[in-house]
Short mmCIF file of all heavy atoms in Angstrom, two decimals:
data_model
loop_
_atom_site.label_atom_id
_atom_site.label_comp_id
_atom_site.label_asym_id
_atom_site.label_seq_id
_atom_site.Cartn_x
_atom_site.Cartn_y
_atom_site.Cartn_z
N LEU M 1 155.57 105.39 45.56
CA LEU M 1 155.80 105.74 46.93
C LEU M 1 155.47 104.63 47.84
O LEU M 1 156.11 104.41 48.90
CB LEU M 1 154.98 106.98 47.27
CG LEU M 1 155.45 108.27 46.56
CD1 LEU M 1 154.36 109.42 46.79
CD2 LEU M 1 156.84 108.74 47.04
N GLN M 2 154.41 103.85 47.55
CA GLN M 2 154.05 102.75 48.38
C GLN M 2 155.14 101.68 48.36
O GLN M 2 155.46 101.08 49.44
CB GLN M 2 152.68 102.12 47.88
CG GLN M 2 152.06 101.11 48.84
CD GLN M 2 151.68 101.69 50.15
OE1 GLN M 2 151.17 102.81 50.17
NE2 GLN M 2 151.89 100.94 51.19
N LYS M 3 155.67 101.38 47.17
CA LYS M 3 156.74 100.40 47.08
C LYS M 3 158.00 100.89 47.85
O LYS M 3 158.74 100.11 48.46
CB LYS M 3 157.11 100.16 45.57
CG LYS M 3 156.06 99.47 44.84
CD LYS M 3 156.41 99.22 43.41
CE LYS M 3 155.34 98.47 42.64
NZ LYS M 3 155.73 98.32 41.21
N THR M 4 158.30 102.21 47.77
CA THR M 4 159.44 102.78 48.51
C THR M 4 159.24 102.64 50.02
O THR M 4 160.19 102.29 50.76
CB THR M 4 159.59 104.29 48.18
OG1 THR M 4 159.76 104.42 46.76
CG2 THR M 4 160.78 104.89 48.91
N LYS M 5 158.00 102.82 50.50
CA LYS M 5 157.71 102.62 51.94
C LYS M 5 157.98 101.17 52.28
O LYS M 5 158.59 100.91 53.36
CB LYS M 5 156.31 103.05 52.19
CG LYS M 5 155.82 102.80 53.61
CD LYS M 5 154.37 103.11 53.77
CE LYS M 5 153.90 102.70 55.19
NZ LYS M 5 152.42 102.99 55.36
N GLU M 6 157.47 100.28 51.50
CA GLU M 6 157.60 98.82 51.77
C GLU M 6 159.11 98.44 51.79
O GLU M 6 159.50 97.65 52.62
CB GLU M 6 156.81 98.03 50.80
CG GLU M 6 155.33 98.22 50.92
CD GLU M 6 154.56 97.44 49.82
OE1 GLU M 6 155.20 96.87 48.90
OE2 GLU M 6 153.31 97.51 49.83
N ALA M 7 159.85 99.04 50.85
CA ALA M 7 161.31 98.68 50.81
C ALA M 7 162.01 99.20 52.09
O ALA M 7 162.87 98.57 52.61
CB ALA M 7 161.91 99.28 49.53
N LEU M 8 161.64 100.38 52.55
CA LEU M 8 162.26 100.94 53.76
C LEU M 8 161.90 100.07 54.97
O LEU M 8 162.80 99.86 55.84
CB LEU M 8 161.80 102.39 53.96
CG LEU M 8 162.44 103.43 52.97
CD1 LEU M 8 161.71 104.77 53.18
CD2 LEU M 8 163.93 103.55 53.18
N LEU M 9 160.67 99.65 55.06
CA LEU M 9 160.27 98.84 56.15
C LEU M 9 160.97 97.49 56.11
O LEU M 9 161.43 97.01 57.17
CB LEU M 9 158.71 98.60 56.13
CG LEU M 9 157.87 99.78 56.46
CD1 LEU M 9 156.36 99.49 56.21
CD2 LEU M 9 158.06 100.26 57.88
N SER M 10 161.14 96.87 54.93
CA SER M 10 161.91 95.66 54.77
C SER M 10 163.32 95.80 55.17
O SER M 10 163.96 94.93 55.79
CB SER M 10 161.74 95.19 53.37
OG SER M 10 162.41 93.96 53.16
N SER M 11 163.97 96.96 54.72
CA SER M 11 165.33 97.27 55.16
C SER M 11 165.55 97.36 56.62
O SER M 11 166.45 96.83 57.20
CB SER M 11 165.77 98.56 54.45
OG SER M 11 167.05 98.92 54.85
N ASP M 12 164.57 97.99 57.31
CA ASP M 12 164.64 98.10 58.76
C ASP M 12 164.59 96.74 59.45
O ASP M 12 165.33 96.42 60.34
CB ASP M 12 163.52 98.95 59.26
CG ASP M 12 163.57 99.18 60.76
OD1 ASP M 12 164.59 99.81 61.23
OD2 ASP M 12 162.64 98.80 61.50
N ARG M 13 163.63 95.87 58.92
CA ARG M 13 163.59 94.52 59.51
C ARG M 13 164.90 93.73 59.29
O ARG M 13 165.37 92.99 60.16
CB ARG M 13 162.41 93.72 58.82
CG ARG M 13 161.05 94.24 59.26
CD ARG M 13 159.93 93.33 58.85
NE ARG M 13 159.81 93.30 57.42
CZ ARG M 13 159.03 94.06 56.72
NH1 ARG M 13 158.22 94.91 57.33
NH2 ARG M 13 158.90 93.89 55.42
N ASN M 14 165.48 93.83 58.07
CA ASN M 14 166.75 93.14 57.75
C ASN M 14 167.86 93.63 58.68
O ASN M 14 168.75 92.90 59.08
CB ASN M 14 167.10 93.28 56.31
CG ASN M 14 166.19 92.49 55.40
OD1 ASN M 14 165.73 91.45 55.78
ND2 ASN M 14 165.96 92.98 54.23
N LEU M 15 167.89 94.97 58.93
CA LEU M 15 168.91 95.50 59.83
C LEU M 15 168.78 95.00 61.24
O LEU M 15 169.76 94.66 61.91
CB LEU M 15 168.80 97.09 59.86
CG LEU M 15 169.33 97.86 58.65
CD1 LEU M 15 168.95 99.30 58.75
CD2 LEU M 15 170.86 97.61 58.52
N ARG M 16 167.52 94.85 61.69
CA ARG M 16 167.34 94.25 63.06
C ARG M 16 167.81 92.81 63.10
O ARG M 16 168.46 92.38 64.07
CB ARG M 16 165.91 94.38 63.44
CG ARG M 16 165.48 95.80 63.83
CD ARG M 16 164.16 95.85 64.59
NE ARG M 16 163.07 95.30 63.83
CZ ARG M 16 162.28 96.05 63.09
NH1 ARG M 16 162.45 97.34 63.05
NH2 ARG M 16 161.31 95.55 62.37
N LEU M 17 167.49 92.06 62.06
CA LEU M 17 167.89 90.61 61.99
C LEU M 17 169.44 90.57 61.95
O LEU M 17 170.07 89.71 62.62
CB LEU M 17 167.33 89.97 60.75
CG LEU M 17 165.79 89.75 60.79
CD1 LEU M 17 165.32 89.19 59.44
CD2 LEU M 17 165.44 88.77 61.91
N ALA M 18 170.08 91.40 61.11
CA ALA M 18 171.56 91.41 61.01
C ALA M 18 172.17 91.79 62.36
O ALA M 18 173.21 91.19 62.79
CB ALA M 18 172.02 92.39 59.92
N ASN M 19 171.55 92.71 63.08
CA ASN M 19 172.07 93.12 64.41
C ASN M 19 171.92 91.98 65.41
O ASN M 19 172.82 91.73 66.24
CB ASN M 19 171.34 94.34 64.91
CG ASN M 19 171.93 94.94 66.17
OD1 ASN M 19 173.08 95.29 66.22
ND2 ASN M 19 171.14 95.03 67.17
N ASP M 20 170.82 91.24 65.35
CA ASP M 20 170.65 90.11 66.22
C ASP M 20 171.68 89.06 65.95
O ASP M 20 172.25 88.37 66.90
CB ASP M 20 169.25 89.57 66.11
CG ASP M 20 168.19 90.50 66.62
OD1 ASP M 20 168.46 91.37 67.44
OD2 ASP M 20 167.01 90.34 66.22
N LYS M 21 171.92 88.78 64.69
CA LYS M 21 172.94 87.78 64.29
C LYS M 21 174.36 88.15 64.78
O LYS M 21 175.10 87.36 65.26
CB LYS M 21 172.94 87.59 62.80
CG LYS M 21 171.66 86.85 62.28
CD LYS M 21 171.71 86.67 60.81
CE LYS M 21 170.48 85.94 60.28
NZ LYS M 21 170.45 85.76 58.84
N ALA M 22 174.69 89.50 64.66
CA ALA M 22 175.95 90.02 65.12
C ALA M 22 176.13 89.84 66.61
O ALA M 22 177.17 89.56 67.12
CB ALA M 22 176.16 91.44 64.65
N ASP M 23 175.00 90.11 67.34
CA ASP M 23 175.10 89.97 68.79
C ASP M 23 175.35 88.54 69.24
O ASP M 23 175.96 88.29 70.25
CB ASP M 23 173.79 90.46 69.49
CG ASP M 23 173.64 91.97 69.33
OD1 ASP M 23 174.63 92.64 69.16
OD2 ASP M 23 172.48 92.43 69.42
N LYS M 24 174.83 87.59 68.50
CA LYS M 24 174.98 86.16 68.83
C LYS M 24 176.35 85.64 68.34
O LYS M 24 176.83 84.50 68.77
CB LYS M 24 173.88 85.32 68.21
CG LYS M 24 172.51 85.63 68.75
CD LYS M 24 171.44 84.82 68.04
CE LYS M 24 170.05 85.15 68.62
NZ LYS M 24 169.01 84.34 67.92
N LEU M 25 177.02 86.38 67.55
CA LEU M 25 178.35 85.95 67.00
C LEU M 25 179.47 86.12 68.02
O LEU M 25 179.68 87.21 68.57
CB LEU M 25 178.69 86.70 65.73
CG LEU M 25 179.96 86.28 64.98
CD1 LEU M 25 179.83 84.83 64.44
CD2 LEU M 25 180.25 87.22 63.85
N THR M 26 180.17 85.08 68.34
CA THR M 26 181.29 85.17 69.36
C THR M 26 182.54 84.54 68.72
O THR M 26 182.51 83.76 67.75
CB THR M 26 180.91 84.41 70.68
OG1 THR M 26 180.71 82.97 70.35
CG2 THR M 26 179.64 84.95 71.22
N ILE M 27 183.65 84.88 69.38
CA ILE M 27 184.97 84.33 68.87
C ILE M 27 185.00 82.83 69.08
O ILE M 27 185.58 82.08 68.29
CB ILE M 27 186.14 85.05 69.63
CG1 ILE M 27 186.13 86.50 69.27
CG2 ILE M 27 187.48 84.38 69.30
CD1 ILE M 27 186.39 86.76 67.79
N LYS M 28 184.37 82.39 70.19
CA LYS M 28 184.36 80.99 70.47
C LYS M 28 183.74 80.22 69.40
O LYS M 28 184.20 79.12 69.02
CB LYS M 28 183.70 80.74 71.83
CG LYS M 28 183.74 79.29 72.33
CD LYS M 28 183.14 79.16 73.66
CE LYS M 28 183.21 77.67 74.18
NZ LYS M 28 182.60 77.53 75.50
N LYS M 29 182.60 80.73 68.88
CA LYS M 29 181.91 80.01 67.79
C LYS M 29 182.69 80.08 66.49
O LYS M 29 182.73 79.12 65.71
CB LYS M 29 180.53 80.72 67.60
CG LYS M 29 179.58 80.49 68.69
CD LYS M 29 178.20 81.10 68.41
CE LYS M 29 177.19 80.83 69.54
NZ LYS M 29 175.90 81.44 69.22
N LEU M 30 183.37 81.24 66.27
CA LEU M 30 184.13 81.36 64.98
C LEU M 30 185.40 80.53 64.99
O LEU M 30 185.78 80.01 63.93
CB LEU M 30 184.53 82.83 64.83
CG LEU M 30 183.35 83.78 64.53
CD1 LEU M 30 183.88 85.19 64.44
CD2 LEU M 30 182.77 83.45 63.17
N THR M 31 186.02 80.32 66.07
CA THR M 31 187.30 79.63 66.13
C THR M 31 187.19 78.13 66.59
O THR M 31 188.17 77.42 66.50
CB THR M 31 188.33 80.33 67.08
OG1 THR M 31 187.71 80.43 68.46
CG2 THR M 31 188.57 81.75 66.58
N TYR M 32 186.01 77.75 67.04
CA TYR M 32 185.82 76.35 67.50
C TYR M 32 186.05 75.40 66.34
O TYR M 32 185.34 75.45 65.29
CB TYR M 32 184.46 76.16 68.15
CG TYR M 32 184.20 74.76 68.62
CD1 TYR M 32 184.74 74.28 69.79
CD2 TYR M 32 183.40 73.87 67.88
CE1 TYR M 32 184.53 73.02 70.24
CE2 TYR M 32 183.21 72.56 68.34
CZ TYR M 32 183.82 72.15 69.50
OH TYR M 32 183.51 70.88 69.92
N GLY M 33 186.96 74.46 66.57
CA GLY M 33 187.22 73.44 65.54
C GLY M 33 187.88 73.98 64.24
O GLY M 33 187.94 73.32 63.26
N ASN M 34 188.41 75.20 64.37
CA ASN M 34 189.09 75.86 63.26
C ASN M 34 190.47 76.35 63.70
O ASN M 34 190.64 77.49 64.05
CB ASN M 34 188.29 77.01 62.76
CG ASN M 34 188.72 77.51 61.36
OD1 ASN M 34 189.89 77.29 61.00
ND2 ASN M 34 187.86 78.22 60.69
N PRO M 35 191.46 75.49 63.69
CA PRO M 35 192.81 75.84 64.18
C PRO M 35 193.49 76.94 63.36
O PRO M 35 194.23 77.72 63.83
CB PRO M 35 193.58 74.52 64.17
CG PRO M 35 192.85 73.74 63.17
CD PRO M 35 191.41 74.08 63.26
N THR M 36 193.14 77.00 62.03
CA THR M 36 193.72 78.01 61.18
C THR M 36 193.36 79.40 61.59
O THR M 36 194.14 80.31 61.71
CB THR M 36 193.29 77.74 59.72
OG1 THR M 36 193.70 76.46 59.30
CG2 THR M 36 193.92 78.78 58.78
N MET M 37 192.08 79.55 61.90
CA MET M 37 191.51 80.86 62.38
C MET M 37 192.09 81.21 63.72
O MET M 37 192.51 82.36 63.93
CB MET M 37 189.95 80.87 62.41
CG MET M 37 189.34 82.16 62.84
SD MET M 37 189.78 83.50 61.72
CE MET M 37 188.83 82.96 60.28
N LYS M 38 192.16 80.22 64.62
CA LYS M 38 192.71 80.53 65.96
C LYS M 38 194.16 80.96 65.84
O LYS M 38 194.64 81.88 66.54
CB LYS M 38 192.59 79.30 66.83
CG LYS M 38 192.98 79.55 68.31
CD LYS M 38 192.71 78.28 69.14
CE LYS M 38 193.01 78.53 70.61
NZ LYS M 38 194.41 78.98 70.81
N ARG M 39 194.90 80.24 64.91
CA ARG M 39 196.37 80.61 64.75
C ARG M 39 196.51 82.05 64.25
O ARG M 39 197.43 82.78 64.64
CB ARG M 39 197.00 79.65 63.82
CG ARG M 39 198.56 79.79 63.67
CD ARG M 39 199.20 78.63 63.03
NE ARG M 39 198.62 78.34 61.70
CZ ARG M 39 197.81 77.28 61.42
NH1 ARG M 39 197.43 76.47 62.44
NH2 ARG M 39 197.40 77.11 60.23
N LYS M 40 195.65 82.44 63.33
CA LYS M 40 195.70 83.80 62.82
C LYS M 40 195.42 84.82 63.86
O LYS M 40 196.10 85.87 63.91
CB LYS M 40 194.67 83.98 61.61
CG LYS M 40 195.13 83.22 60.41
CD LYS M 40 194.11 83.48 59.21
CE LYS M 40 194.50 82.75 58.00
NZ LYS M 40 193.55 83.03 56.88
N PHE M 41 194.48 84.57 64.71
CA PHE M 41 194.16 85.49 65.79
C PHE M 41 195.37 85.55 66.79
O PHE M 41 195.73 86.63 67.29
CB PHE M 41 192.91 85.10 66.52
CG PHE M 41 191.68 85.53 65.87
CD1 PHE M 41 190.79 84.59 65.35
CD2 PHE M 41 191.40 86.91 65.74
CE1 PHE M 41 189.61 85.06 64.76
CE2 PHE M 41 190.26 87.28 65.12
CZ PHE M 41 189.35 86.37 64.60
N ASP M 42 196.03 84.38 67.08
CA ASP M 42 197.14 84.32 67.96
C ASP M 42 198.35 85.13 67.40
O ASP M 42 198.97 85.89 68.06
CB ASP M 42 197.58 82.92 68.22
CG ASP M 42 196.52 82.14 69.04
OD1 ASP M 42 195.72 82.77 69.68
OD2 ASP M 42 196.51 80.90 68.97
#
């Protein structure tokens, strides 16, 4: 049960980190210097 609790707490921390990374992700960053990706979006 203690290990399960620690795993849940770790999962919550990883979710917050993933959410922060998603918030910082923009199209400009993804397509900058990448004409192939920009062409696909166009």
Side-chain angles (χ1 to χ4, degrees):
L1 291 172
Q2 190 66 37
K3 290 179 180 179
T4 303
K5 175 185 175 183
E6 293 174 357
L8 288 171
L9 292 174
S10 177
S11 176
D12 183 62
R13 289 192 294 270
N14 289 328
L15 283 173
R16 287 197 297 270
L17 291 173
N19 188 55
D20 293 338
K21 291 180 180 179
D23 291 338
K24 295 178 180 179
L25 186 65
T26 63
I27 295 299
K28 186 176 181 180
K29 290 182 179 180
L30 289 174
T31 59
Y32 180 77
N34 193 340
T36 302
M37 181 61 67
K38 188 177 183 303
R39 187 168 56 255
K40 288 183 179 181
F41 279 116
D42 292 340

